[in-house]
Every structure is written in structure tokens, then in C-alpha cells.
Amino acid sequence: MNYSEIMIKETTEEDLDNIMTLWNNGEVMKYVGFPEGLGITKKELENWYKYIINKPYRCHYSIYTDELGYCGESYYNVDVTTGYACLDIKLLPHAQGKGIGYRGLSYAIEKAFKEGKAIAVYVDPHPDNKSAWKLYEKLGFMQTETPHFIETTHPYLELTYERWLELNRIRDREMYK
């Protein structure tokens, strides 16, 4: 898929029906502990929406393509006391394996660093979610010891701002060879 075909936008109330479909999909939600889907209602999502956007430190994005329509979401939330931002991405099954996750999470990473002023971003994928691990490694995340101020029951993967900048310099050089 050509990256120019992927549209990422800040989530609005118009996206809530799509998010409800995403979160109620058991295949999407199995690695976060909901193999039957979340079972969320539109009213619950409307309440969630009131909280989710708090720029520049917290933002949620909806991902679309012309061909596939709604594909999924990406998200960042910066802890202003530590400078660490948790990230998330979820894609509907029809959008997986097409490079959309790479582009969608790259977008959230860039925004967390540039707008949210994060010093590091992190994810804590389920050990069995092999496709997520592959994506995170491709983006440059490294498994490290979990900082004492972060709670997780899964492995902790981190990407610092310095590493992100260096990886982007390398990608840029390779693109122009």
C-alpha cells in the first residue's frame, strides 16, 4: 500500500461508530484480554471521547484509506511528570499486514515527541502478539527494564527520542541512495 493513500486524522465524534466496531471485534481485542470484544456501547464511547483528547499530551487518531475505509486507531498519552508516553495501535483484520500499522504508529510517535514533548515512548505488547512485536521492532523499539513508575504485566519496549531521530536519519539516507 502506498503511504500517500493512508489518511490519519485526529478522532472526532464522527469516528465513534467505527471505534465501537474496532473495540467490539474479538480478533482485534484478544491480546488485550477481550477475546469476545469489549462490548462497548455508543454511550460509553461518547463519555470516553470527552476524556481522550487533551492536546498536546494526549491524542487519539483514526486511520482510513480510500480502498479499505476505516482501518483502526493510534494513540499516545504523555505522562507530564516523567516525559514517557504510552502508545497504542489497533487495526481491523482487513487492514492488517498492509503497512498501515507502521504508518499509523509512526504518526503517533512523531506527534508524541514533537507536540507532546515526550522523551521516550513505550509499548507493552502481549508476548503472543507476534505481528505487534514485528511492528515495534521495525520501528526501533527495544526491550528494556521497565521503569519503576510504569505499571505493566507484559514486556516493556521503549523508543527514545534520540534513537527515533537517528533511525529516521538512517532511513532518509537509505531512501536517497
Side-chain angles (χ1 to χ4, degrees), residues 31-87:
Y31 291 117
V32 291
F34 299 95
E36 303 299 318
L38 197 54
I40 197 159
T41 66
K42 179 77 175 272
K43 184 67 175 165
E44 290 169 319
L45 271 174
E46 289 168 350
N47 290 332
W48 165 85
Y49 179 73
K50 293 174 189 172
Y51 157 83
I52 198 60
I53 307 289
N54 184 18
K55 291 177 80 173
Y57 304 110
R58 184 173 59 238
C59 202
H60 189 275
Y61 303 101
S62 292
I63 305 167
Y64 294 85
T65 72
D66 285 336
E67 180 184 337
L68 301 173
Y70 179 75
C71 297
E73 66 179 7
S74 64
Y75 165 80
Y76 75 85
N77 184 13
V78 179
D79 180 327
V80 295
T81 59
T82 65
Y84 281 66
C86 66
L87 299 173

Side-chain angles (χ1 to χ4, degrees), residues 1-3 13 35 42 47 80 121 153 173:
M1 173 158 291
N2 185 334
Y3 282 158
E13 289 183 71
K42 179 77 175 272
N47 290 332
V80 295
V121 294
T153 57
R173 276 194 303 259

